[in-house]
Every structure is written in structure tokens, then in C-alpha cells.
Amino acid sequence: MRKRLAAVVLLCLLSGCLPVRRSCKGAGAAAGPEGGGDRTDRCPAPRAHAPFSRDRVCAQSRWPEAARGYPVLPLREDSDICSAAYTPVEEMAEPDPVSQSNFRQIHVTHSDYELDIDFAALRMEGFVQLTAVVKEDGCTKLVLDTRDLTIIKTCILPSKCEKGVDFSIGSADKVLGSSLTVELPDNLTKGQQVVVGVHFKTSPESTAMQWLEPAQTAGGTHPYLFTQCQAIHARSFVPCQDSPGAKMTYSAAVRVPGQLTALMSAVPVETKPKPDFSILDAKPRTQTFYFEQKIPIPPYLLALVVGELESRELSPRTRVWSEPSVVDSAAHEFAETPQFLDAGELFAGEYVWGRYDLLVLPPSFPYGGMENPCLTFVTPTLLAGDRSLANVIIHEICHSWTGNLVTNANHNHFWLNEGWTVFLERKILGHVFGEKIAQFHAANGHLDLIAEVERFGPKHPWTRMVVDIQGGMDPDMFYSKLPYEKGFHFLYFLQVLLGGPTIFEPFMKAYVEDFKLKTLTTNDFKEYFLTYFDGHPCVGGIDWDAWLYSPGLPPRDNYYDLSMAKAPYALAQKWHESDATGVGGGGPAGVSSADMDNWTSGQTDAFLAKLLGLRSMVPMHKTLTRKMANIYGLDNVKNSEIRFGWLKLCVMAEDEAVVDNLVDFLKLQGRMKFVHPLYKAWGASKMGRDAAPRLFREVAHSYHPTVRKKVASTLGISA
């Protein structure tokens, strides 16, 4: 064993990833581009952005990896790889700057809802029984988050709630809402349980709820309601402790008009016990649906949809829901979902949620997907007809483990949700479609990362992995791809550093297993990582401060297989160089429609993304975009991702020929990823300075409130 260990250490020395002590006392490690922590106990790390080759393999007998002919050392069942396993503390609650609730003193662990949907008034009446566990002796009040809710009564159960108990409403903050404080019995002690009832009504202005008229649906006959509670909109749907750190289980009874169907982020059940107090008295021409969610979830994963809905089975545990005219197309598009779900279990462990259903919403849904447990919401812009946008479904499936099961403690640590989810997503892509596809997505993701850093600026604090949200800041306003791609970049770097997938994938599965049902901070992740890899010769060289807290691009580059990206990137470079100064011309020599023969839609999208990056400072001239349109037929493309990239390129070029196409696209859907950047580019252009605000005022009512707010802010007009 000693000989083997010596050989492995020698391999690490030769590969350059084992820290070597030299006579350099007092030298500090090189930090990221904006600085980082000084470290005087080892020699300087390689300079920022130094190439890090995947062929440089660190290994030790506890972390086997096959590389350059070195054999895989099999793990024994009695291996000490996890003998020093990190044990998370029982309570990880960290203060949440965007919640006024007191979940660290008393934690709502279960909510039992009765919800009555009123389409005529655009309101929901509700009663909730909140089962709360006292976490500090002497706690005398339960403080909940609310926004635009009318509180009718509160009470301590079991009782008939006729008299109620005292409550107070705090002053309104436009972002945080108003705190609801309910007085509790005296002399409560830690561990004691109390049940509080709250009778409430929502407002038509609820930012969580979008009410659609029949004309806004595919069927055109019935109204439609859906909710979107992430990031902090659950408080405008129900009174709750609206923080990711306040996980709870829930059950619900939902009464809706008789011809409509209700679904929630939970498993449907036949009925539920009648509560101590009920608002759902007999009412004609209605029906009631019942749900149960036995896995603790953060409130932002509460979800409800009501509409004319049908489903198609994809597997015994998976079905797709949508309006009747859309459901068959959706079933075809997402037929691979069961395969993706099975692959997720290979990498992350058992799928514990029971069902995995998909719901295709009307076009105003603001995101590509929302990972509501048991019922993922997705945009109809994914219905490309060729299953080419399936990676969005894979991403939402991955949240079943990273995000939903293992959750960031608050929004400062959002990268733990999204960075891990992108990492797992690309594991599944590689498993199902081949590693070249996963590498292609990683390379394109890096372009997105570069573009986001350029958009914010390399020193902007929101380009850090761990951000610092102060009280009163709206998490929606700095939503970006940064936590997704910078988080992925870091995890991929760690995988390469430690020796590759056979070493890192067991860690990923152990991480999910040990933190499931819990929340964690970045420091919790760091401590767990260092404990798991204790003794690994490559861990000591990680500059945690530079990775986690420095703004701008990551401190080290990753290298991906660019074989699928080579042709799109080269063609983008050719078009870029033909008009480097943006004054126009005849375009590059030798281009033709054959340039894109046999390309996937993803490669066409990558071509446009690369070209957009190259032209971020100097837009192309419109004579070049017109030539491109004529050669490649890009004016007629229907794939939403390609259409978006093309329209943005043309808007930046002041190409008036795409205005009708642009207007149609902005009216057709309300996805934040597409709508906000297009309005921003169009509003900043000469041709859209007046036209962009005018169109927005015309169609803003069809957009989700989150989209309306962000676009209005960008255009400098009222929402």
C-alpha cells in the first residue's frame, strides 16, 4: 500500500496539482481577477485563468481514477472514503434578508389549505391550518410573510375559530410585503407544537397569481389560473414563512368551477379529513380536488393551476398535462421524460416524490420551466416539434434532487440550487445522448456566462457566486444565468481537479443523500466537501474566496470538447470578420446555405450565440443580417431559441426588416428569457426608441407580473 501511495503522490507532483512547499514563506496564493483571500502557508497558485488540463489527474488510493493507463483502484465495501462523513447540524436556519417571518424561533412544518377559486372576482379565499414547532423557549408570537392579502381572522386550533385571537399587520413594503403577527399562548417551550388558523383572501394584484381570460388560452372557452411563487411571491398567494429555509409539508382541498381541473405541486388524493374549521360549504356547480405533499418543500414551490386540462400517460409515474388542443403535441415533444428521470436516479439516487408530471402552460408563463414538485410547469415555447429543447425538461427533472430535495438556505446561496442542477443536467445529457452533447452544452453555457458578466460588468457584485441580498432588495430583479453557469463552472472545475467523474460522481450522490430534506449555505457545502475529500492531495490548492466571492469571470478556465461547436463558432467568426467595424459590405466569401447542412438546431443556436458575443461592442450592419437571412432562411425559423437569437442580432443591427417578426414574437409569448432582452435591445435602438414602449403598453396585460415589472423598469416606464 505504501508503494502504491508513493507512486500516486509522485503522479500528483508530476502533474502539478499537489501543493509543494518551497522556500517561499510569506508568499500568497494568486487570487481571482478581483482579489481573494491571502494565504501564506503555501506557494502561489497558478495565475488567474491559467489553463487547467483534464489530463492532469490527481489521485490517491481513496480517490481512484483511470487515466493515462493507470488502473482504476476498486473501492472496497469497507473503504474509509466516507468514514469521516460530515454530519450537518440539525438546524441550519440562517437569517433571510427577504423574509420578515420568525421561522428561526418557530417553524411552520405543515400547512393544511382550503382554497376557493373565484374567477369572477379574480380572488382566492382560503383558510390554512399552520402546524408550527417552537424552536426557542418563550416564543410568544408567530410572524408570517404576506403581500396584498386580506386577513379576515386568526385563531389557535383546535377551536371553532368563532372568536379568534389577536393579530397585527405590519407596515407595507413594496418588495417584502406586510408581516402578519399572531399572538400565541404564554409559556411555550422549545419542541412544543402549536396549530394556528388563518382565514384570508388574495388580491387581484397578487404577484403569484395570473388570471387569464378565455381569449388568452388555446381553447378560448374557459378561464385559466396559474401561480408562480419563486422567488418571494408565495406570500401573495398564502400567508407563510416565505423563505427557502422554512421547509414544510402540505395538504390542500381546492374548490373550482365544475368544468375545470385543479392541479398542485403535490400528489392528488381522493379526499382528506375535514379540518377543525372549514370555509368550503356546499356550493353548486363546483368540484373539489384534494392533494398531499409529504416531502418538506420551501414555500416558493407551492403551485396551483386551474383550467380546462387533459393528460396523456408517458409512463406509470409520468404524464403530461395541457389544454386539449395542445396535449398531444406536448406528449410527443416530451416522450423521453421517463428516460431522463431514470437517468437522474443513476446519478443522484432514488426519486422520492412519487409522480413526475409535466404541465404545458399558456404562452404568458414567464420561465422555460419551474420545478414544482410532482408537477413541473413548462413554457409552450419548448414545443419545437423535434424534441430539440429537451434539455429544459432535464434541468427541471434534476431539481427533484438539487433544489427541491436539497435546498439553498436563502437566495444568497442560489448557486447551490442552480449550479448543481446544471451540473446534473449535463451528466444526464451525456448519459442519454453522448458526452459530446454534454460538452457542447457546457461550451455554449460558457458563452452565456461571458455574456452575463459583460452585461452586468466584471466588478458588479451580482456577478459573484455568493451574492449579498440586503433587506428590501427584490431577488427577481437580478435573476440571471450567472448562478447557473458560474456554479456549473466551479463544480466542473472541482471534478477535473479531483480526478474525474469516477471520483466526483460518488461525492455528488453522497451530497444529495446527506443533505436531502434539508437546507444549506455555501459554507455548509464547503465544510462537507473538505470533510469528504479530507487528505486528497489536490484540495489544498482551491482558492475558495476567489471562486465564491470574487465578481466577474471564474478564476480558472475549463476546457471542453468543442468538436460539435467548431463549425458554428468558425462560421460566426467568418461573418464577424467580414464586418468587424460594422460599416457593412458584401459579407464573407464562399458562404452558402450548405454551411448549415446537417447541423442540429442547437448548433444553429450556438452560431447565433457566438456571433452575438462577438458583436456585443460593435453591432453588425443590417446589410450583413439581410444577406444572412437570404442565405440561411433565418427570418422564417420557428424554433424559439433560434428565433430569439436571430431577432436580437437583427435589432442590434437596426434591421427594420424584422420588426413585424419581432412584434409577432413579443405578442406570441411572455417568457422572461426572450421578452426582456428583446425589449431592452429594441428600446435602446434608434428604430425602437418609441416603438418598444408603445408595444409594451399595448400587450403588457398579457405578461406575467414579474415580466411586466422588469421590462417596465428597463424601459423606464410604469408597469
Side-chain angles (χ1 to χ4, degrees), residues 404 470 599:
N404 297 4
Q470 302 297 322
W599 278 16

Side-chain angles (χ1 to χ4, degrees), residues 636-652:
N636 302 315
V637 72
K638 299 302 180 186
N639 180 293
S640 59
E641 295 283 350
I642 298 172
R643 190 177 181 184
F644 162 70
W646 172 241
L647 288 173
K648 187 177 179 183
L649 186 72
C650 291
V651 168
M652 291 169 59

Side-chain angles (χ1 to χ4, degrees), residues 326 360-365 367-368 378-384 640 668-669:
V326 179
V360 180
L361 285 108
S364 60
F365 181 62
Y367 300 112
V378 296
T379 170
T381 63
L382 300 184
L383 300 178
S640 59
L668 179 67
Q669 49 77 45

Side-chain angles (χ1 to χ4, degrees), residues 182-211:
V182 181
E183 300 299 323
L184 300 177
D186 294 333
N187 303 317
L188 292 175
T189 59
K190 182 178 180 179
Q192 196 169 350
Q193 184 173 286
V194 61
V195 182
V196 174
V198 183
H199 188 187
F200 65 96
K201 286 185 179 181
T202 65
S203 160
E205 287 72 45
S206 166
T207 57
M209 309 175 76
Q210 187 164 22
W211 305 84

Side-chain angles (χ1 to χ4, degrees), residues 593-607:
S593 60
D595 294 338
M596 296 186 180
D597 282 354
N598 301 316
W599 278 16
T600 66
S601 57
Q603 287 174 299
T604 305
D605 185 34
F607 160 73

Side-chain angles (χ1 to χ4, degrees), residues 295-504:
I295 308 295
I297 64 168
Y300 74 77
L301 291 177
L302 286 169
L304 169 68
V305 62
V306 180
E308 183 186 17
L309 300 171
E310 289 185 5
S311 67
R312 299 289 185 268
E313 294 288 330
L314 301 179
S315 78
R317 60 177 175 177
T318 304
R319 66 172 64 99
V320 62
W321 291 86
S322 192
E323 295 183 72
S325 63
V326 179
V327 69
D328 287 325
S329 296
H332 167 78
E333 198 75 25
F334 306 131
E336 298 164 311
T337 300
Q339 184 182 5
F340 302 152
L341 192 59
D342 292 343
E345 290 186 300
L346 290 177
F347 290 105
E350 178 188 5
Y351 180 79
V352 301
W353 302 92
R355 293 206 59 82
Y356 183 83
D357 291 350
L358 292 163
L359 171 72
V360 180
L361 285 108
S364 60
F365 181 62
Y367 300 112
M370 180 61 207
E371 63 270 18
N372 302 311
C374 309
L375 186 69
T376 286
F377 286 10
V378 296
T379 170
T381 63
L382 300 184
L383 300 178
D386 59 0
R387 301 176 181 168
S388 58
L389 301 177
N391 66 295
V392 175
I393 301 302
I394 297 176
H395 183 89
E396 304 310 329
I397 285 174
C398 293
H399 271 304
S400 303
W401 295 275
T402 51
N404 297 4
L405 200 60
V406 180
T407 309
N408 50 225
N410 60 49
H411 300 286
N412 289 333
H413 309 283
F414 190 51
W415 81 269
L416 288 169
N417 276 20
E418 296 299 349
W420 267 114
T421 298
V422 174
F423 186 81
L424 181 54
E425 169 197 339
R426 288 170 184 162
K427 288 288 182 184
I428 295 176
L429 280 169
H431 178 79
V432 175
F433 299 111
E435 184 58 22
K436 284 188 176 183
I437 292 289
Q439 293 286 310
F440 177 62
H441 279 262
N444 290 335
H446 189 66
L447 292 181
D448 291 337
L449 174 58
I450 292 171
E452 291 288 57
V453 170
E454 288 180 351
R455 178 167 71 91
F456 283 105
K459 295 186 178 182
H460 198 291
W462 292 352
T463 64
R464 303 189 316 175
M465 273 177 56
V466 182
V467 297
D468 184 15
I469 302 174
Q470 302 297 322
M473 293 175 66
D474 186 349
D476 286 333
M477 296 309 289
F478 56 85
Y479 173 84
S480 76
K481 295 179 183 178
L482 276 160
Y484 296 71
E485 294 299 343
K486 199 169 185 179
F488 166 81
H489 191 103
F490 180 48
L491 294 170
Y492 189 90
F493 165 81
L494 292 178
Q495 175 177 267
V496 173
L497 177 73
L498 296 170
T502 61
I503 292 172
F504 201 74

